[in-house]
Amino acid sequence: MKSIPEMPQLHEPWYKYGVAFLCFEILIAVSVCAYSLFMTFHGLGGFPGKH
């Protein structure tokens, strides 16, 4: 069976900025999760106003 040669992928000019923005959002999400876990494991979390 003959293989099809792969063509290089061409992207729009904004593609690299979109990928960078997604990486930034992922970093924010991981930071929020880490902070939430830190608060939970140190007993600083809870329902607002009920400490």
Side-chain angles (χ1 to χ4, degrees):
M1 178 177 239
K2 193 174 187 181
S3 64
I4 301 171
E6 292 187 23
M7 297 294 291
Q9 293 292 324
L10 299 176
H11 300 291
E12 298 289 326
W14 53 264
Y15 181 80
K16 61 182 175 182
Y17 299 110
V19 171
F21 185 73
L22 283 177
C23 290
F24 179 67
E25 284 192 359
I26 290 169
L27 182 65
I28 291 173
V30 168
S31 300
V32 168
C33 289
Y35 179 69
S36 176
L37 286 172
F38 172 80
M39 295 282 285
T40 300
F41 291 135
H42 285 84
L44 303 172
F47 193 76
K50 194 175 182 184
H51 292 278

